[in-house]
């Protein structure tokens, strides 16, 4: 599967700034930094980010709008959810989670950062092979 053929949003450049928080190569294209931050994130097959938490004193969190491919999202203590184009994932602040591509598919989503007060992301441990499967 070739992402440029699947999505209206270009994959952007290699996500070097956050590479240490991803298992394989990801790409980042910031679509908006005004009003609401929206990043187009593209994952090569079998790529996922570490467990992480979007902290906020008020508001905050993240919304994922899946635009192409197949992937996964999992909240701590819950089963993983299979994702495909058209799915929307609401991630409240303070919820530990991860997201990434399926083993055999590229995956792309728009990551919308929900405005809030004192927002920051805490990056945690890598997703284990057992959790990913």
């Amino acid at each position: 599967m070739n992402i440029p053929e699947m999505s209206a949003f270009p994959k952007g450049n290699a996500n070097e700034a956050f590479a240490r928080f991803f298992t394989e190569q990801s790409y980042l294209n910031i679509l908006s930094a005004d009003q609401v931050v929206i990043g187009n994130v593209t994952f090569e097959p079998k790529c996922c980010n570490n467990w992480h938490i979007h902290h906020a004193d008020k508001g905050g969190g993240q919304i994922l709008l899946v635009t192409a491919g197949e992937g996964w999202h999992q909240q701590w203590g819950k089963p993983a959810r299979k994702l495909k184009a058209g799915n929307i994932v609401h991630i409240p602040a303070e919820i530990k989670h991860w997201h990434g591509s399926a083993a055999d598919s590229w995956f792309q989503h728009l990551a919308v950062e929900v405005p809030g007060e004192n927002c920051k992301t805490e990056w945690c441990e890598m997703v284990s092979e057992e959790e990913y499967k």
Side-chain angles (χ1 to χ4, degrees), residues 35-95:
Q35 295 178 294
V36 175
V37 176
I38 303 172
N40 180 40
V41 185
T42 303
F43 302 75
E44 69 179 16
K46 204 171 181 184
C47 176
C48 67
N49 51 32
N50 289 7
W51 287 98
H52 59 286
I53 305 165
H54 301 283
H55 293 292
D57 292 342
K58 182 178 180 184
Q62 186 178 53
I63 300 169
L64 306 179
L65 306 171
V66 181
T67 57
E70 293 185 348
W72 296 99
H73 168 262
Q74 184 176 18
Q75 291 185 3
W76 189 258
K78 295 185 178 180
R81 174 183 169 198
K82 182 88 168 184
L83 300 175
K84 61 182 181 168
N87 289 149
I88 299 171
V89 180
H90 294 269
I91 306 164
E94 308 306 327
I95 300 295

Side-chain angles (χ1 to χ4, degrees), residues 13-22 25-28:
N13 296 319
N15 189 4
E16 299 300 333
F18 294 92
R20 67 187 180 278
F21 304 121
F22 287 77
Q25 185 64 59
S26 67
Y27 302 85
L28 179 62

Side-chain angles (χ1 to χ4, degrees), residues 18 23 47 51 85 104 125-126 131 133:
F18 294 92
T23 58
C47 176
W51 287 98
D104 60 351
E125 69 274 13
M126 290 179 63
E131 291 167 324
K133 289 180 180 177

